Amino acid sequence: MQLRKMMVMLAALSSMSLALTACGDDATTVESCTSDTDCSSNFCNTAAGVCMDTCESGSDCADSEKNCAVLAGSSNTQKVCQCQTNQLCNSGDTTDLVCGTVSKRCEEPGSTPEGCTKDADCGAGNTCNTTTGVCSPAATTCTGEGQATCAYGNFCSASKCTAVPAPTCDNFTPAKGGKTPVWSATSSSGPIIYSITKLTWGADVVSPAFCSGDTLRAEVKAYAQTAGTFPAQKSNLQGLFYVTVNGSQQDGSPLIRPSGYTPSADGKSATFIMNFCPAGISTISLGLYFTGGNEICAQLSK
């Protein structure tokens, strides 16, 4: 009798262990398929060619794919576990999984037929071939300037792909009253500013003068987001902001004269001259960013 009780207890513990493993496991294995019969769950997302786990509620799904709902665009009304954000896909020990826009599975970038559409879809240090939809390691050497063959968030400097510098100035330091930086190379895709240099500081060399006193003219270089281009005219430039040292911001476009804006022939990069009125100070801290792009700092002196 004692032996029988022990066997019943072990069986119950084994069942409990399996149940816990099924409900709380964050590990996601993406199986390829062409029809429902290819999947153990009997549900194939044919648009992406991957199997999906069926569910009745979010508690049936892994934490990384907690959205239990009918798959959009599917004729099958069965609910399936779906991811929602890249961040949730990497809530465990992983760092480079993405939430597939079509597969709705957490996956290695470019691992399913839907592939990638921009560098942000790929893991850090990789670029997206938008023609083939395949992620591949970014080049470490380059020629020219701007993005060249470098990954998004990097720029070509001295023939080497270099990450854009982190914004360490007070303009982007919340503890000192600055604006909180939000850009990330893996979750953003806005224009990248990679260079800010002083041209002149003194009496304005362009007439009429931009400032009543000294005018600081700074040359700024940027490249466009993966799927976008810069406008042909400065009047159509949007989303550029100047952040002061106390964290307040203003539209950056009015700080550029029409003659000071030069996009490349293909619109993938632009150089523009911004004008600032430093009044009586001899050193200024500039903070610049485009919507969805990187925050960048420059300390310029007279």
Side-chain angles (χ1 to χ4, degrees), residues 18-65:
L18 288 171
L20 290 172
T21 300
C23 294
D25 189 6
D26 282 341
T28 303
T29 302
V30 180
E31 302 173 58
S32 60
C33 62
T34 57
S35 66
D36 291 340
T37 56
D38 295 332
C39 305
S40 57
S41 62
N42 202 36
F43 191 106
C44 177
N45 178 344
T46 54
V50 296
C51 296
M52 303 191 75
D53 296 325
T54 57
C55 58
E56 292 302 325
S57 68
S59 61
D60 298 326
C61 305
D63 290 342
S64 55
E65 298 178 350

Short mmCIF file of all heavy atoms in Angstrom, two decimals, residues 18-65:
data_model
loop_
_atom_site.label_atom_id
_atom_site.label_comp_id
_atom_site.label_asym_id
_atom_site.label_seq_id
_atom_site.Cartn_x
_atom_site.Cartn_y
_atom_site.Cartn_z
N LEU A 18 5.65 19.00 -15.82
CA LEU A 18 5.40 19.20 -17.24
C LEU A 18 4.52 20.42 -17.46
O LEU A 18 4.72 21.20 -18.39
CB LEU A 18 4.72 17.97 -17.84
CG LEU A 18 5.62 16.73 -18.02
CD1 LEU A 18 4.77 15.53 -18.42
CD2 LEU A 18 6.71 17.00 -19.06
N ALA A 19 3.54 20.60 -16.59
CA ALA A 19 2.63 21.73 -16.73
C ALA A 19 3.35 23.04 -16.54
O ALA A 19 3.16 24.00 -17.27
CB ALA A 19 1.47 21.61 -15.73
N LEU A 20 4.23 23.09 -15.53
CA LEU A 20 5.00 24.31 -15.28
C LEU A 20 5.92 24.63 -16.44
O LEU A 20 6.10 25.77 -16.82
CB LEU A 20 5.80 24.16 -13.98
CG LEU A 20 4.98 24.16 -12.69
CD1 LEU A 20 5.88 23.81 -11.51
CD2 LEU A 20 4.31 25.52 -12.48
N THR A 21 6.52 23.60 -17.00
CA THR A 21 7.42 23.81 -18.12
C THR A 21 6.67 24.36 -19.32
O THR A 21 7.12 25.26 -20.01
CB THR A 21 8.09 22.48 -18.52
OG1 THR A 21 8.83 21.99 -17.41
CG2 THR A 21 9.02 22.67 -19.71
N ALA A 22 5.45 23.85 -19.54
CA ALA A 22 4.69 24.28 -20.72
C ALA A 22 4.22 25.71 -20.59
O ALA A 22 4.20 26.46 -21.56
CB ALA A 22 3.48 23.37 -20.91
N CYS A 23 3.84 26.17 -19.38
CA CYS A 23 3.25 27.49 -19.23
C CYS A 23 4.26 28.60 -19.07
O CYS A 23 4.08 29.68 -19.57
CB CYS A 23 2.29 27.51 -18.04
SG CYS A 23 0.84 26.44 -18.25
N GLY A 24 5.35 28.38 -18.37
CA GLY A 24 6.24 29.47 -18.04
C GLY A 24 7.49 29.55 -18.88
O GLY A 24 8.32 30.42 -18.67
N ASP A 25 7.66 28.68 -19.84
CA ASP A 25 8.90 28.63 -20.61
C ASP A 25 8.96 29.80 -21.58
O ASP A 25 8.06 30.03 -22.38
CB ASP A 25 8.94 27.32 -21.40
CG ASP A 25 10.28 27.10 -22.06
OD1 ASP A 25 11.19 27.90 -21.80
OD2 ASP A 25 10.39 26.13 -22.83
N ASP A 26 10.05 30.60 -21.52
CA ASP A 26 10.22 31.73 -22.42
C ASP A 26 10.93 31.32 -23.69
O ASP A 26 11.03 32.10 -24.62
CB ASP A 26 11.02 32.84 -21.73
CG ASP A 26 10.13 33.63 -20.78
OD1 ASP A 26 8.90 33.55 -20.93
OD2 ASP A 26 10.68 34.30 -19.92
N ALA A 27 11.52 30.14 -23.74
CA ALA A 27 12.26 29.73 -24.92
C ALA A 27 11.30 29.53 -26.08
O ALA A 27 10.24 28.93 -25.93
CB ALA A 27 13.00 28.43 -24.65
N THR A 28 11.64 30.07 -27.23
CA THR A 28 10.77 30.01 -28.39
C THR A 28 11.47 29.31 -29.52
O THR A 28 12.50 29.75 -29.99
CB THR A 28 10.36 31.43 -28.83
OG1 THR A 28 9.73 32.09 -27.73
CG2 THR A 28 9.41 31.38 -30.00
N THR A 29 10.93 28.17 -29.96
CA THR A 29 11.48 27.44 -31.09
C THR A 29 10.57 27.66 -32.29
O THR A 29 9.39 27.32 -32.24
CB THR A 29 11.58 25.93 -30.78
OG1 THR A 29 12.40 25.76 -29.63
CG2 THR A 29 12.18 25.20 -31.96
N VAL A 30 11.10 28.25 -33.34
CA VAL A 30 10.31 28.55 -34.53
C VAL A 30 10.49 27.42 -35.53
O VAL A 30 11.59 27.16 -36.01
CB VAL A 30 10.75 29.89 -35.15
CG1 VAL A 30 9.92 30.18 -36.40
CG2 VAL A 30 10.59 31.02 -34.13
N GLU A 31 9.37 26.70 -35.84
CA GLU A 31 9.40 25.61 -36.80
C GLU A 31 8.86 26.10 -38.14
O GLU A 31 7.87 26.82 -38.19
CB GLU A 31 8.54 24.44 -36.31
CG GLU A 31 8.94 23.88 -34.96
CD GLU A 31 7.92 22.85 -34.48
OE1 GLU A 31 7.71 21.85 -35.21
OE2 GLU A 31 7.31 23.06 -33.41
N SER A 32 9.49 25.70 -39.22
CA SER A 32 9.01 26.10 -40.54
C SER A 32 7.89 25.17 -40.99
O SER A 32 7.77 24.03 -40.55
CB SER A 32 10.16 26.06 -41.55
OG SER A 32 10.70 24.76 -41.65
N CYS A 33 7.02 25.67 -41.89
CA CYS A 33 5.89 24.88 -42.37
C CYS A 33 5.34 25.47 -43.65
O CYS A 33 5.63 26.63 -44.00
CB CYS A 33 4.79 24.84 -41.31
SG CYS A 33 4.11 26.48 -40.91
N THR A 34 4.55 24.68 -44.34
CA THR A 34 3.82 25.16 -45.51
C THR A 34 2.32 24.91 -45.36
O THR A 34 1.53 25.46 -46.10
CB THR A 34 4.32 24.47 -46.80
OG1 THR A 34 4.19 23.04 -46.64
CG2 THR A 34 5.77 24.84 -47.09
N SER A 35 1.96 24.06 -44.39
CA SER A 35 0.54 23.78 -44.13
C SER A 35 0.38 23.38 -42.66
O SER A 35 1.36 23.09 -41.97
CB SER A 35 0.03 22.66 -45.03
OG SER A 35 0.66 21.43 -44.71
N ASP A 36 -0.87 23.33 -42.19
CA ASP A 36 -1.15 23.00 -40.79
C ASP A 36 -0.63 21.63 -40.40
O ASP A 36 -0.21 21.40 -39.25
CB ASP A 36 -2.66 23.07 -40.52
CG ASP A 36 -3.20 24.48 -40.58
OD1 ASP A 36 -2.40 25.44 -40.46
OD2 ASP A 36 -4.43 24.62 -40.75
N THR A 37 -0.62 20.69 -41.35
CA THR A 37 -0.20 19.33 -41.03
C THR A 37 1.30 19.23 -40.74
O THR A 37 1.75 18.23 -40.21
CB THR A 37 -0.55 18.37 -42.19
OG1 THR A 37 0.04 18.87 -43.40
CG2 THR A 37 -2.07 18.28 -42.36
N ASP A 38 2.06 20.28 -41.07
CA ASP A 38 3.50 20.28 -40.78
C ASP A 38 3.79 20.64 -39.33
O ASP A 38 4.93 20.52 -38.88
CB ASP A 38 4.23 21.30 -41.68
CG ASP A 38 4.17 20.93 -43.15
OD1 ASP A 38 4.07 19.73 -43.44
OD2 ASP A 38 4.22 21.85 -44.00
N CYS A 39 2.77 21.09 -38.60
CA CYS A 39 2.98 21.59 -37.24
C CYS A 39 2.36 20.67 -36.20
O CYS A 39 1.25 20.16 -36.39
CB CYS A 39 2.36 22.99 -37.10
SG CYS A 39 2.95 24.19 -38.32
N SER A 40 3.06 20.50 -35.10
CA SER A 40 2.53 19.70 -34.00
C SER A 40 1.32 20.38 -33.38
O SER A 40 0.44 19.73 -32.82
CB SER A 40 3.62 19.47 -32.94
OG SER A 40 4.12 20.72 -32.47
N SER A 41 1.26 21.72 -33.48
CA SER A 41 0.11 22.46 -32.96
C SER A 41 -1.05 22.49 -33.94
O SER A 41 -2.13 22.98 -33.62
CB SER A 41 0.53 23.91 -32.66
OG SER A 41 0.94 24.55 -33.87
N ASN A 42 -0.80 22.00 -35.16
CA ASN A 42 -1.79 21.98 -36.24
C ASN A 42 -2.20 23.40 -36.66
O ASN A 42 -3.33 23.65 -37.09
CB ASN A 42 -3.04 21.20 -35.84
CG ASN A 42 -3.82 20.72 -37.07
OD1 ASN A 42 -3.23 20.36 -38.09
ND2 ASN A 42 -5.15 20.72 -36.98
N PHE A 43 -1.23 24.35 -36.55
CA PHE A 43 -1.50 25.72 -37.00
C PHE A 43 -0.25 26.27 -37.67
O PHE A 43 0.78 26.46 -37.04
CB PHE A 43 -1.90 26.64 -35.83
CG PHE A 43 -2.44 27.97 -36.29
CD1 PHE A 43 -3.79 28.25 -36.21
CD2 PHE A 43 -1.60 28.95 -36.81
CE1 PHE A 43 -4.30 29.47 -36.63
CE2 PHE A 43 -2.09 30.16 -37.23
CZ PHE A 43 -3.45 30.43 -37.15
N CYS A 44 -0.36 26.53 -38.97
CA CYS A 44 0.76 27.08 -39.74
C CYS A 44 0.43 28.50 -40.18
O CYS A 44 -0.60 28.74 -40.79
CB CYS A 44 1.05 26.22 -40.97
SG CYS A 44 2.37 26.85 -42.04
N ASN A 45 1.30 29.44 -39.84
CA ASN A 45 1.19 30.80 -40.35
C ASN A 45 1.82 30.78 -41.74
O ASN A 45 3.03 30.93 -41.90
CB ASN A 45 1.93 31.77 -39.42
CG ASN A 45 1.90 33.21 -39.91
OD1 ASN A 45 1.59 33.48 -41.07
ND2 ASN A 45 2.26 34.13 -39.03
N THR A 46 0.99 30.53 -42.76
CA THR A 46 1.52 30.32 -44.10
C THR A 46 2.14 31.58 -44.70
O THR A 46 2.99 31.50 -45.58
CB THR A 46 0.41 29.81 -45.03
OG1 THR A 46 -0.71 30.70 -44.98
CG2 THR A 46 -0.04 28.41 -44.61
N ALA A 47 1.74 32.76 -44.23
CA ALA A 47 2.30 34.00 -44.75
C ALA A 47 3.78 34.11 -44.42
O ALA A 47 4.57 34.65 -45.20
CB ALA A 47 1.55 35.20 -44.19
N ALA A 48 4.18 33.59 -43.23
CA ALA A 48 5.58 33.64 -42.82
C ALA A 48 6.25 32.27 -42.89
O ALA A 48 7.47 32.17 -42.78
CB ALA A 48 5.68 34.17 -41.39
N GLY A 49 5.44 31.20 -43.06
CA GLY A 49 6.00 29.85 -43.14
C GLY A 49 6.49 29.32 -41.82
O GLY A 49 7.48 28.60 -41.75
N VAL A 50 5.81 29.67 -40.71
CA VAL A 50 6.21 29.20 -39.39
C VAL A 50 5.01 28.65 -38.63
O VAL A 50 3.87 29.09 -38.82
CB VAL A 50 6.86 30.33 -38.55
CG1 VAL A 50 8.15 30.81 -39.19
CG2 VAL A 50 5.89 31.49 -38.35
N CYS A 51 5.28 27.66 -37.76
CA CYS A 51 4.24 27.10 -36.90
C CYS A 51 3.99 28.05 -35.74
O CYS A 51 4.90 28.76 -35.28
CB CYS A 51 4.68 25.74 -36.36
SG CYS A 51 4.89 24.47 -37.63
N MET A 52 2.76 28.05 -35.23
CA MET A 52 2.41 28.88 -34.09
C MET A 52 1.72 28.03 -33.03
O MET A 52 1.03 27.05 -33.36
CB MET A 52 1.50 30.03 -34.53
CG MET A 52 2.08 30.91 -35.62
SD MET A 52 1.15 32.44 -35.90
CE MET A 52 1.63 33.40 -34.46
N ASP A 53 1.91 28.40 -31.78
CA ASP A 53 1.31 27.68 -30.67
C ASP A 53 -0.12 28.16 -30.46
O ASP A 53 -0.39 29.35 -30.39
CB ASP A 53 2.11 27.91 -29.38
CG ASP A 53 3.51 27.35 -29.47
OD1 ASP A 53 3.68 26.30 -30.11
OD2 ASP A 53 4.44 27.98 -28.90
N THR A 54 -1.06 27.22 -30.38
CA THR A 54 -2.45 27.59 -30.14
C THR A 54 -2.68 27.84 -28.66
O THR A 54 -1.91 27.39 -27.80
CB THR A 54 -3.40 26.48 -30.63
OG1 THR A 54 -3.06 25.24 -29.98
CG2 THR A 54 -3.27 26.30 -32.14
N CYS A 55 -3.74 28.58 -28.33
CA CYS A 55 -4.00 28.95 -26.94
C CYS A 55 -5.45 29.33 -26.75
O CYS A 55 -6.18 29.57 -27.72
CB CYS A 55 -3.09 30.12 -26.53
SG CYS A 55 -3.33 31.60 -27.59
N GLU A 56 -5.85 29.40 -25.50
CA GLU A 56 -7.18 29.90 -25.14
C GLU A 56 -7.05 31.22 -24.38
O GLU A 56 -7.95 32.03 -24.38
CB GLU A 56 -7.92 28.87 -24.29
CG GLU A 56 -8.30 27.60 -25.06
CD GLU A 56 -9.16 27.86 -26.27
OE1 GLU A 56 -10.00 28.80 -26.21
OE2 GLU A 56 -9.01 27.15 -27.29
N SER A 57 -5.90 31.40 -23.72
CA SER A 57 -5.63 32.65 -23.00
C SER A 57 -4.13 32.85 -22.93
O SER A 57 -3.35 31.94 -23.25
CB SER A 57 -6.22 32.61 -21.58
OG SER A 57 -5.53 31.65 -20.78
N GLY A 58 -3.70 34.04 -22.51
CA GLY A 58 -2.29 34.35 -22.44
C GLY A 58 -1.51 33.45 -21.51
O GLY A 58 -0.30 33.26 -21.67
N SER A 59 -2.19 32.84 -20.53
CA SER A 59 -1.51 31.95 -19.59
C SER A 59 -1.02 30.67 -20.27
O SER A 59 -0.18 29.96 -19.72
CB SER A 59 -2.45 31.60 -18.42
OG SER A 59 -3.60 30.92 -18.90
N ASP A 60 -1.54 30.38 -21.47
CA ASP A 60 -1.09 29.20 -22.22
C ASP A 60 0.19 29.47 -23.01
O ASP A 60 0.76 28.56 -23.60
CB ASP A 60 -2.18 28.75 -23.21
CG ASP A 60 -3.47 28.35 -22.52
OD1 ASP A 60 -3.39 27.81 -21.41
OD2 ASP A 60 -4.54 28.58 -23.11
N CYS A 61 0.62 30.74 -23.03
CA CYS A 61 1.74 31.14 -23.89
C CYS A 61 3.00 31.45 -23.08
O CYS A 61 2.95 31.73 -21.88
CB CYS A 61 1.36 32.39 -24.68
SG CYS A 61 -0.16 32.23 -25.65
N ALA A 62 4.14 31.40 -23.77
CA ALA A 62 5.41 31.82 -23.17
C ALA A 62 5.34 33.32 -22.90
O ALA A 62 4.62 34.06 -23.58
CB ALA A 62 6.56 31.51 -24.13
N ASP A 63 6.08 33.80 -21.90
CA ASP A 63 6.04 35.21 -21.51
C ASP A 63 6.43 36.13 -22.65
O ASP A 63 5.98 37.28 -22.72
CB ASP A 63 6.95 35.46 -20.31
CG ASP A 63 6.40 34.84 -19.04
OD1 ASP A 63 5.19 34.52 -19.00
OD2 ASP A 63 7.17 34.68 -18.07
N SER A 64 7.29 35.65 -23.56
CA SER A 64 7.75 36.49 -24.66
C SER A 64 6.72 36.61 -25.78
O SER A 64 6.83 37.50 -26.62
CB SER A 64 9.06 35.92 -25.24
OG SER A 64 8.87 34.56 -25.62
N GLU A 65 5.72 35.71 -25.78
CA GLU A 65 4.67 35.74 -26.82
C GLU A 65 3.31 35.63 -26.14
O GLU A 65 2.53 34.73 -26.40
CB GLU A 65 4.89 34.60 -27.83
CG GLU A 65 6.21 34.72 -28.57
CD GLU A 65 6.45 33.58 -29.55
OE1 GLU A 65 5.68 32.59 -29.52
OE2 GLU A 65 7.40 33.66 -30.34
#
